[in-house]
Amino acid sequence: MSEQESKDRSQVRQKRMIADHFEKLARAKEDGKKVVYTFVPGNLTELIGAFDMLPVLPEINALQSGMRKKSAGYIAEAEKSGHSEDVCTYVKCDIGMTKSGNIGPTGTKLPAPDLLLLSYTGCFTFMKWFELLKQEYGCPVVMLHVPYQPDGEITDQMRNYVVEQLRKEVIPALERVSGKAFDIDELARRLALSARAEDDLVAVWESARKRPSPIDAYFGGVYYVGPIFSSFRGTEDAVLYYKELRAEVDARVRAKLGPMTPTGPVTRERFRLVVEGPPNWTSFNDFWEMFSREGAVFVASTYTRVGGLYDGGFRHDPSRPLESLADYCLGCYTNLGLPTRVNLLERYVREYEADGLLVNSVKSCNSFSVGQLLMLRQLEERTGVPGGFIESDLVDPRYFGKANIENRVQSYLQMLEARKAGRS
Ligand code: SF4
């Protein structure tokens, strides 16, 4: 099989999975299916699936709108109705989309939620966002409060606190709305499928230790986390997708190939970078090309851990279903304190033998942006690897200054080049 055919197989599968899901959502009301809106970090996809309900993730709709160049109009719509310029642009994009007919990323109309499931993992904006959706739809809200991890460890009290809420608040709410009784065996079955997909995803991340790295763990990585961060964790489809993806990446390792990009493969890996912070979605391909054409490859990123941190060893565990859901929610990247984040980044810089560490500080997201400069300085001191800092936004194109960002990226890469030359 040719490289292109092999590459296409997982991409084609992912595209079909997403299209099928949005088709199901479009037919949800006539099929009698209940719909749950929820957030990516700390999502309880297996639990929602165990009640045969369909998840909608407003952040994913917002980022897809950004990639499809629709977010500027939606944000303008939300600002017209009074949402200030400082509000997270995912929220404004979603509100604008709702007010413009709630047409989802694939062009089909999204159903109204039957339940808003608010997994609270460190972002206060989540609460305000669902307050707005509650006003819009008038449906019930159930909140899972996930305590912040200040010291880098999950204590029994923290885990029990989350499990108690799952037992006493979240599961009863899902039972009420779905009209179905909770089946713990069905949840466990789904968690076993999650763990298989998670094993393969970790193998894909770890392939970036090779030289050349066969993947770009940031720009390519956001495609790899699509199924596991959204509606598909705990499904056979996700297991097959990650198995195929891993096989494709293994084939690239054997052939000593660098990552594929929208403008072709990276044929010469010149810089290995670790990145902190989400990407910009409105100029995603331009942003990627600024690095790929210079042979700069991202070998690890924190953004691809925001919906679950698996490379530290965590797997969903069917033998302790609720406890394992609690550990998953507690362990998402933005639920970790700054010292733990710094330790993780230090590990990535060392283990993936990075030449540089870049921060993309997005205007919208305090969950990411707070403390990033301090983190950068600490990491420079600890690793000796030079840091770079750029600023943009998630889905507001007004905050992506292409020329300015390009200048900064080029200066940074030139500095890394000079440093390498000085060492050789
Ligand atoms: S502030 Fe950040 S974490 Fe919170 S909703 Fe916006 S993008 Fe998501």
Side-chain angles (χ1 to χ4, degrees):
M1 185 184 298
S2 76
E3 181 195 318
Q4 189 61 36
E5 282 167 330
S6 166
K7 178 178 84 70
D8 283 343
R9 200 190 271 179
S10 69
Q11 285 185 344
V12 169
R13 181 181 295 280
Q14 181 173 154
K15 227 174 153 185
R16 182 181 51 69
M17 286 159 64
I18 292 170
D20 285 354
H21 183 68
F22 281 99
E23 274 300 311
K24 278 188 203 159
L25 285 169
R27 292 195 317 268
K29 299 295 169 192
E30 62 190 85
D31 290 351
K33 294 259 186 189
K34 301 292 183 186
V35 175
V36 181
Y37 283 21
T38 194
F39 293 115
V40 172
N43 72 71
L44 300 170
T45 302
E46 300 90 344
L47 188 61
I48 294 169
F51 284 95
D52 204 20
M53 298 165 97
L54 296 171
V56 169
L57 296 124
E59 301 131 296
I60 303 234
N61 295 337
L63 77 84
Q64 295 267 6
S65 298
M67 288 180 110
R68 289 171 162 79
K69 314 282 183 207
K70 291 189 168 166
S71 54
Y74 291 153
I75 290 167
E77 188 69 34
E79 287 181 357
K80 247 191 279 165
S81 58
H83 297 282
S84 99
E85 207 175 302
D86 289 333
V87 171
C88 167
T89 52
Y90 272 0
V91 181
K92 285 189 291 187
C93 186
D94 185 50
I95 297 296
M97 190 181 93
T98 307
K99 293 196 176 303
S100 312
N102 214 20
I103 306 298
T106 57
T108 52
K109 188 171 166 64
L110 293 171
D114 297 292
L115 179 70
L116 297 167
L117 170 51
L118 199 177
S119 289
Y120 180 89
T121 48
C123 174
F124 186 68
T125 305
F126 283 163
M127 290 173 65
K128 306 314 277 179
W129 193 341
F130 270 12
E131 274 177 27
L132 293 168
L133 293 191
K134 182 169 168 53
Q135 282 167 17
E136 187 72 33
Y137 295 111
C139 67
V141 184
V142 63
M143 176 162 163
L144 177 69
H145 177 237
V146 179
Y148 198 61
Q149 249 200 71
D151 303 320
E153 65 164 327
I154 298 173
T155 62
D156 286 343
Q157 285 103 319
M158 290 158 84
R159 182 179 299 112
N160 293 340
Y161 174 64
V162 176
V163 168
E164 276 304 286
Q165 293 175 77
L166 288 171
R167 281 209 181 98
K168 293 186 175 156
E169 307 282 340
V170 177
I171 289 173
L174 289 165
E175 287 184 319
R176 270 194 304 277
V177 173
S178 69
K180 291 189 166 60
F182 174 50
D183 177 352
I184 199 160
D185 295 332
E186 174 57 17
L187 175 63
R189 185 187 74 78
R190 287 172 182 264
L191 295 176
L193 294 173
S194 299
R196 285 169 60 192
E198 288 156 2
D199 278 345
D200 285 335
L201 176 63
V202 170
V204 168
W205 293 147
E206 293 189 342
S207 72
R209 292 168 195 247
K210 304 278 182 199
R211 285 176 188 263
S213 168
I215 62 164
D216 186 292
Y218 188 41
F219 294 110
V222 300
Y223 289 100
Y224 305 155
V225 293
I228 213 158
F229 278 14
S230 60
S231 316
F232 302 102
R233 221 180 45 232
T235 66
E236 298 281 358
D237 267 343
V239 171
L240 291 174
Y241 169 78
Y242 285 101
K243 196 171 164 206
E244 273 174 12
L245 177 66
R246 182 177 180 176
E248 290 163 12
V249 169
D250 285 349
R252 296 189 76 79
V253 170
R254 283 195 299 277
K256 297 197 182 322
L257 293 171
M260 279 301 290
T261 80
T263 49
V266 177
T267 50
R268 185 172 156 238
E269 178 185 285
R270 291 173 60 217
F271 306 104
R272 297 168 63 81
L273 305 176
V274 169
V275 58
E276 149 71 19
N280 163 270
W281 301 109
T282 49
S283 298
F284 185 83
N285 284 354
D286 284 348
F287 194 26
W288 190 348
E289 201 195 348
M290 287 178 199
F291 296 91
S292 63
R293 70 167 176 246
E294 303 294 338
V297 173
F298 288 99
V299 288
S301 78
T302 51
Y303 176 70
T304 52
R305 275 56 169 183
V306 74
L309 193 74
Y310 302 109
D311 44 354
F314 170 80
R315 296 289 180 276
H316 283 92
D317 181 354
S319 71
R320 42 194 288 281
L322 298 185
E323 292 75 9
S324 146
L325 284 178
D327 285 356
Y328 161 73
C329 294
L330 287 157
C332 292
Y333 179 72
T334 48
N335 202 49
L336 307 178
L338 294 193
T340 314
R341 297 188 201 190
V342 171
N343 290 343
L344 182 71
L345 279 157
E346 181 182 1
R347 177 159 80 76
Y348 287 159
V349 168
R350 292 190 194 285
E351 291 184 3
Y352 289 79
E353 297 179 334
D355 305 304
L357 169 76
L358 188 80
V359 172
N360 180 32
S361 180
V362 293
K363 177 185 175 294
S364 279
C365 183
N366 286 340
S367 288
F368 260 105
S369 304
V370 165
Q372 279 177 327
L373 268 177
L374 181 68
M375 289 164 68
L376 194 66
R377 295 293 163 250
Q378 288 188 352
L379 283 156
E380 284 182 320
E381 273 168 33
R382 285 200 208 172
T383 64
V385 158
F389 192 85
I390 52 178
E391 290 169 285
S392 65
D393 188 48
L394 297 163
V395 291
D396 190 337
R398 293 172 295 186
Y399 296 97
F400 188 84
K402 188 177 174 197
N404 184 25
I405 292 174
E406 201 154 24
N407 276 342
R408 285 206 192 191
V409 168
Q410 294 219 336
S411 310
Y412 179 60
L413 296 178
Q414 279 163 12
M415 185 266 286
L416 292 184
E417 180 79 79
R419 195 166 178 269
K420 278 186 171 189
R423 277 204 308 244
S424 59

